[in-house]
Amino acid sequence: MKISNTNLFINFAFLVVISNTIFSQEKKPFNGNFIWIKGNEIAIKSNSNIAQDETEILKKTFNFNPIVDFSKDKILKEYKKRIEKQSSLFLVFKCATSDENTLVALERGTYKSTISNRKLDSDGATATYKGESKTGVIVSFIYNKNSLIGKKNGTMSISDFLYNDKLFENQLLELIYIPKSVSTKQKNTIESYLSLKYGISLHEDQNYLNSKGDTIWNVKQDKNYTKRVTGIGKDLFFGLNQKQSKNTTLDGLTIGLNKIKSTNVDNDVVLKDKSFILWGDNGKTAVLKKCDDGTQKRMKRIWKFKSISDSSAKYKVQIKIDKKQMPLDGTLNDDDDMNKFMWLAIDTSNSAEFNYATAEYSKATVNSKDEIVFDNVELNSNSNCLFTIVKANENHVTATAMDSNKVPSYDSNLSGKYKLYPNPISANDKFSLQFNLKETSNVTVQIVDVNGKTIKSKNLGFIDDYLYSDSLSVSGTYLILVTVNGRSETNKLIVK
């Protein structure tokens, strides 16, 4: 799929006039009336090097992407002689007010169509609104050959409501005008691009497609996880290079490649074209409640991760939970919570229900009053998994894994930095942990039995090259929990 185009960059935003086809399967090329308006990442990148108030950055970005800045950009208020009889318009906006205001008007001869923040005013045309006006909306407006009357091409006008807003309360995020009535599949493809870029979920019965028309999220296959579908990914055809995202419903979940930055363009991770990571949830409560045995607090909300790529790359993502937007529980100061930690539980078993026994657990690197952060979460390309949040002490997490004969890997970054040997051993024989750390680090070793009881705990202090040896007098299966600078990994030790 290829685009031949002429790019006209105008200060912070740019207008693209395309003289060839938008989709390779089109028999008839579009003329020069194609219009594309969106914020300019180059300007955002240059401004990000200057110290700015976080509030100022948020005012001029939406889902980490730049908005169209009418206060500085030389965007036309009117695009004359552009509007044809068969046309399609895609508009993404956010409005602070619930009062109805016209955003864009299209005129051809005596006929006029207007798109407001609440509805379409037009005869013989179809439009769909996805999202909420105050948090972000995608409008798709398709008009047929009878919709806009007149022999001459008409005019598209941007209203003063958007054009003169100097406070950025009412934002134009992106506008795409195509001088053709696009097909249902082409409409779905463009909407998928806009959805992933701005974090505005499509309708729950709608698939997500890449620019080739390939399905990257199938609502039938993923029917239990259709709530708040969001994603990151790269699609060069549309210029999509989304490396971090959150949903406009303000569900409190933000996911980004490597480390989440203030803006999308500041995240320097390189993705391959047509690579995507999408997630959606089951729509259930995120409040943590005690499970039946009382050892863990679990939420009913489960998310599904889906990664797609033509390579075998592994992705590392950071996951942030905003506690104000996603209240987890109201008992953070209860006595029974004093020794408990937040864990990200990942189930790769592909079972119908979340399998806590075989799940891998990753301890939160940050658990403050305002947020929870999970770092270095690894995802394989072309794979599916489920994840959720659990609150428990270390013993109860390792005991759950012990029951399933599986050891959770808390942080794969510790792999290769120490070695446990010999294994298995006989009762009263010594085993050793040989540490070869690149830098001096604070290390603790904890030994847990099959019941989750801590048998031994040793703070080794600050070490780099170090040999720790110990023995156990009772036969059985044990977990050796090694923590380096707050990052943990567990190994199973067999005592015969």
Side-chain angles (χ1 to χ4, degrees):
M1 193 172 300
K2 190 175 181 181
I3 296 179
S4 172
N5 59 23
T6 302
N7 294 333
L8 177 61
F9 289 89
I10 308 177
N11 202 1
F12 278 19
F14 63 88
L15 171 66
V16 183
V17 180
I18 297 183
S19 60
N20 209 330
T21 63
I22 186 170
F23 297 103
S24 62
Q25 62 266 32
E26 293 298 332
K27 296 177 182 179
K28 201 172 181 181
F30 297 151
N31 59 29
N33 290 331
F34 187 101
I35 301 171
W36 195 347
I37 301 172
K38 58 181 175 178
N40 188 359
E41 287 192 343
I42 296 174
I44 291 293
K45 180 68 173 177
S46 62
N47 284 347
S48 67
N49 295 324
I50 305 170
Q52 297 184 74
D53 187 287
E54 188 72 19
T55 305
E56 287 299 309
I57 295 176
L58 290 174
K59 277 171 58 177
K60 297 184 179 182
T61 58
F62 188 96
N63 198 33
F64 309 106
N65 293 299
I67 66 169
V68 178
D69 188 349
F70 289 106
S71 67
K72 296 181 180 179
D73 304 343
K74 297 178 181 178
I75 301 299
L76 298 177
K77 187 175 180 180
E78 291 186 339
Y79 292 87
K80 297 181 178 180
K81 298 180 180 179
R82 294 291 186 87
I83 306 306
E84 302 191 13
K85 286 187 177 181
Q86 291 193 23
S87 298
S88 304
L89 180 69
F90 297 86
L91 182 69
V92 189
F93 67 88
K94 174 187 173 184
C95 291
T97 176
S98 57
D99 297 333
E100 185 172 0
N101 289 276
T102 296
L103 307 176
V104 176
L106 302 112
E107 297 182 63
R108 184 184 172 91
T110 59
Y111 190 91
K112 183 176 181 179
S113 294
T114 59
I115 298 175
S116 77
N117 57 322
R118 294 175 62 181
K119 66 180 182 180
L120 163 71
D121 184 7
S122 175
D123 292 329
T126 60
T128 55
Y129 282 62
K130 296 176 172 67
E132 299 292 336
S133 179
K134 289 189 176 182
T135 55
V137 173
I138 299 172
V139 179
S140 305
F141 182 24
I142 314 298
Y143 16 101
N144 58 35
K145 63 182 179 181
N146 298 317
S147 296
L148 300 179
I149 303 170
K151 294 181 179 180
K152 295 182 180 180
N153 287 345
T155 299
M156 180 182 77
S157 305
I158 299 173
S159 75
D160 290 337
F161 177 70
L162 290 174
Y163 205 82
N164 295 331
D165 189 342
K166 303 297 190 296
L167 300 176
F168 307 101
E169 292 179 344
N170 306 297
Q171 303 171 344
L172 174 63
L173 309 178
E174 193 153 341
L175 183 152
I176 301 173
Y177 169 77
I178 303 169
K180 181 185 180 301
S181 180
V182 300
S183 69
T184 301
K185 188 170 185 179
Q186 291 168 344
K187 174 176 174 284
N188 194 176
T189 297
I190 297 170
E191 289 175 340
S192 297
Y193 149 66
L194 295 171
S195 172
L196 293 181
K197 183 173 181 178
Y198 295 108
I200 303 171
S201 297
L202 302 182
H203 293 159
E204 292 179 16
D205 60 353
Q206 191 170 349
N207 290 336
Y208 290 71
L209 311 179
N210 66 17
S211 61
K212 290 182 178 179
D214 300 330
T215 302
I216 56 177
W217 183 273
N218 189 307
V219 292
K220 289 184 178 179
Q221 293 177 0
D222 308 314
K223 61 183 179 181
N224 295 325
Y225 304 95
T226 58
K227 305 293 184 183
R228 293 172 281 265
V229 176
T230 318
I232 53 184
K234 187 171 186 176
D235 197 326
L236 289 176
F237 181 84
F238 287 117
L240 177 69
N241 193 16
Q242 193 71 24
K243 291 165 280 190
Q244 49 193 50
S245 193
K246 55 188 174 183
N247 197 274
T248 55
T249 59
L250 304 179
D251 64 336
L253 176 66
T254 304
I255 299 178
L257 294 168
N258 198 9
K259 295 285 184 181
I260 297 166
K261 300 297 181 67
S262 296
T263 66
N264 181 61
V265 73
D266 286 326
N267 190 322
D268 56 6
V269 175
V270 177
L271 270 176
K272 288 196 67 176
D273 188 29
K274 304 297 184 296
S275 296
F276 302 92
I277 300 173
L278 287 87
W279 57 93
D281 70 74
N282 59 3
K284 297 184 179 180
T285 178
V287 175
L288 292 165
K289 293 185 178 180
K290 285 184 180 180
C291 59
D292 292 340
D293 62 8
T295 59
Q296 295 183 354
K297 283 190 173 182
R298 300 170 181 170
M299 62 171 63
K300 291 185 178 180
R301 183 171 298 177
I302 308 291
W303 290 266
K304 182 172 184 177
F305 257 138
K306 191 169 190 175
S307 63
I308 297 172
S309 177
D310 60 1
S311 70
S312 58
K314 287 190 176 183
Y315 305 106
K316 284 189 177 181
V317 300
Q318 183 181 63
I319 298 176
K320 286 188 176 182
I321 304 292
D322 184 324
K323 288 184 175 180
K324 292 180 181 178
Q325 295 178 353
M326 189 191 296
L328 299 174
D329 67 21
T331 58
L332 297 179
N333 296 318
D334 283 0
D335 291 339
D336 68 337
D337 278 4
M338 294 299 290
N339 296 316
K340 292 186 177 180
F341 303 95
M342 290 295 185
W343 304 83
L344 182 73
I346 300 179
D347 177 15
T348 59
S349 66
N350 290 321
S351 2
E353 300 292 331
F354 194 94
N355 193 329
Y356 289 90
T358 61
E360 296 185 6
Y361 292 80
S362 177
K363 186 171 26 172
T365 49
V366 175
N367 184 14
S368 66
K369 178 182 177 182
D370 298 323
E371 67 176 4
I372 305 169
V373 181
F374 300 97
D375 286 314
N376 298 315
V377 179
E378 284 197 356
L379 297 173
N380 294 321
S381 60
N382 299 308
S383 64
N384 300 321
C385 66
L386 303 179
F387 72 94
T388 189
I389 310 297
V390 170
K391 191 171 189 180
N393 62 35
E394 290 177 341
N395 292 353
H396 289 146
V397 168
T398 53
T400 299
M402 186 87 77
D403 291 340
S404 67
N405 201 34
K406 178 176 180 178
V407 179
S409 177
Y410 300 150
D411 190 346
S412 59
N413 285 343
L414 299 183
S415 180
K417 295 181 179 179
Y418 68 92
K419 181 180 179 182
L420 171 64
Y421 68 95
N423 189 10
I425 60 172
S426 299
N428 297 314
D429 285 353
K430 285 190 176 182
F431 67 90
S432 296
L433 285 166
Q434 177 65 59
F435 291 90
N436 298 107
L437 306 177
K438 291 182 179 179
E439 57 185 25
T440 302
S441 304
N442 188 18
V443 179
T444 60
V445 176
Q446 185 178 9
I447 304 174
V448 180
D449 70 9
V450 71
N451 298 314
K453 179 182 178 182
T454 299
I455 304 302
K456 296 182 181 182
S457 184
K458 176 74 172 178
N459 186 348
L460 304 184
F462 288 87
I463 61 171
D464 42 33
D465 291 333
Y466 187 86
L467 180 66
Y468 168 78
S469 297
D470 210 329
S471 63
L472 293 163
S473 59
V474 179
S475 299
T477 302
Y478 297 85
L479 292 181
I480 311 299
L481 179 66
V482 177
T483 303
V484 179
N485 289 337
R487 299 178 181 272
S488 301
E489 186 172 270
T490 300
N491 302 263
K492 185 178 293 186
L493 175 68
I494 306 297
V495 180
K496 296 180 178 179

